[in-house]
Each structure stands twice: as structure tokens, then as C-alpha cells.
Amino acid sequence: GAVVSQHPSRVICKSGTSVKIECRSLDFQATTMFWYRQFPKQSLMLMATSNEGSKATYEQGVEKDKFLINHASLTLSTLTVTSAHPEDSSFYICSAPAGGRTGELFFGEGSRLTVL
Amino acid sequence: QKEVEQNSGPLSVPEGAIASLNCTYSDRGSQSFFWYRQYSGKSPELIMFIYSNGDKEDGRFTAQLNKASQYVSLLIRDSQPSDSATYLCAVSPGGYQKVTFGIGTKLQVIP
């Protein structure tokens, strides 16, 4: 079964509104989670690293005021897309490290955001 | 220069054949190497990981790593139509550090 649960799987919103995506680790604690974005026929691009109890680390070119990340507990990280625009329409995927030296990631199911 | 390079394909192989997927990476500090499979509209799922030079086999899948050449490959034997998907190569320094993905190679297995 899934070890990382992501919700919602699909969301459609109007331009200018905000959308929150939740990512939960099931049966394990995740002090770190990664948020990726994937546009059609493109690779997964890391947006930010979510750290429990501290500020997220954003990749270059990702607006931290637009993509708000909160990692308030060891099992929950949220991504809020504020003032969404059609160009924010994408597939957003969260992941959590499996632990140890591997670097393996457990992925959530992904959230398909469509901004009208 | 892209950090992880893959041919986007599509790579078409007949059912039962061997599919060979290739990947090169630029960071010599990379320690962990992964192949993920991604079906359309779904999130990636891990197929194999490899750390050491050489081959690693798991069922119909064989991953090959050559750190000197900065090259990783995935062989799929006895390809099945259900193997049709996009295969993402990913590399990481290891541990909790970020994983970098290639664009993925789309594989089509023709019945």
C-alpha cells in the first residue's frame, strides 16, 4: 500500500484563487519532504524541500511567496499555490525519503492542478 | 548542461524483446542511481536502484552502472506491453539530499 498519501488528486480552480495540497507520510515520520512539479512531457523538477519545524528550502526560480510550504508535523507537509494562474497548471508530486543512505523516495499519488 | 540526460524516445520494441534504456549524469559526486517507471498521469514508482559499478539484476530488469563513464542503463528482458511507460533515470548524492531526474524515456512495447 501507499506509504505517502497526497490529496487532492485533482483540483480545478479559478485564476486568482489559492489551492492547498496535502502530503502525509503513513506509518513513518518524515522530517523532510520534497515537492516536485512536472509539466507535460517534462521531467520532475524539484520545487522545494520541506523541513519539519523550520522553513522550507526553495530551488532557484521558485517563488516562495507564491508556493507556500508548511511542514508542521512529522507526518504532514502542505503546499499552497497562492493566487494561481493558468501557467501554474501542472502535476504536483510530493515525496519523502525512504531513509538511510539510499536516497530512495516514496512518492505521493500526485495532484493534477488545472487553473482556469 | 543538463544534470541527467536521457533520450525522450519513444523507444519501440516488440513484445518479448530486450529494451535498453540509457542515461548519463554530470555530477561525479552522485552515489545513488535509480530507475523509476511512470505511467501516464501517475506518480513514479521505483523499479531499481544501484550504487556500485557493474550490474544488478532483479527479475526481468538489470541495471548497469559505470561511474567512470557517468553512465547508467536499464535492460528489460522479455518486454511486455504492460512495460509501456516512461522510465525516469534519477541520481542522488545519497542520504536525504535531493534527487535529480532526467526527462524520461518513453517505452512502447508492441504486441
Side-chain angles (χ1 to χ4, degrees):
Chain A
V3 295
V4 175
S5 177
Q6 190 172 341
H7 178 82
S9 58
R10 292 180 182 274
V11 58
I12 300 173
C13 69
K14 293 182 179 180
S15 185
T17 61
S18 295
V19 174
K20 180 184 284 188
I21 301 169
E22 294 187 347
C23 180
R24 295 180 183 275
S25 58
L26 308 177
D27 300 324
F28 74 102
Q29 295 179 334
T31 56
T32 300
M33 287 188 178
F34 300 104
W35 286 95
Y36 287 87
R37 178 170 56 182
Q38 187 178 37
F39 292 107
K41 298 186 178 181
Q42 294 190 25
S43 182
L44 276 73
M45 296 301 297
L46 181 66
M47 298 176 65
T49 302
S50 171
N51 304 299
E52 187 270 335
S54 64
K55 292 182 179 181
T57 304
Y58 290 82
E59 295 299 303
Q60 189 174 11
V62 178
E63 299 175 60
K64 62 180 181 180
D65 295 330
K66 180 172 181 62
F67 298 99
L68 301 180
I69 291 173
N70 185 282
H71 196 148
S73 78
L74 288 170
T75 59
L76 175 64
S77 176
T78 61
L79 168 68
T80 301
V81 182
T82 62
S83 187
H85 291 283
E87 57 265 31
D88 298 324
S89 299
S90 187
F91 191 47
Y92 292 85
I93 313 173
C94 71
S95 64
R101 63 179 283 255
T102 66
E104 178 189 350
L105 297 173
F106 295 132
F107 281 96
E109 299 92 335
S111 299
R112 174 74 59 190
L113 171 64
T114 302
V115 184
L116 302 177
Chain B
Q1 180 186 8
K2 293 181 180 177
E3 296 181 44
V4 180
E5 294 214 40
Q6 294 181 258
N7 188 319
S8 61
L11 172 66
S12 295
V13 300
E15 182 175 357
I18 296 175
S20 178
L21 306 165
N22 305 312
C23 169
T24 58
Y25 61 95
S26 61
D27 184 0
R28 287 194 172 274
S30 300
Q31 296 294 322
S32 302
F33 307 86
F34 308 89
W35 284 99
Y36 286 86
R37 178 174 62 196
Q38 186 177 26
Y39 292 110
S40 181
K42 303 294 184 182
S43 64
E45 55 179 325
L46 183 68
I47 298 296
M48 290 194 70
F49 60 86
I50 186 168
Y51 311 125
S52 304
N53 278 325
D55 296 357
K56 179 181 179 182
E57 185 175 322
D58 183 1
R60 295 187 297 113
F61 300 94
T62 298
Q64 299 174 318
L65 173 62
N66 184 325
K67 289 187 178 180
S69 300
Q70 297 176 245
Y71 176 89
V72 193
S73 67
L74 179 70
L75 299 177
I76 306 175
R77 289 181 298 281
D78 189 23
S79 295
Q80 301 297 309
S82 58
D83 295 327
S84 297
T86 296
Y87 288 81
L88 304 171
C89 174
V91 303
S92 168
Y96 288 84
Q97 300 190 60
K98 72 176 185 179
V99 178
T100 303
F101 288 82
I103 194 171
T105 298
K106 184 174 183 178
L107 174 65
Q108 296 176 338
V109 181
I110 311 301

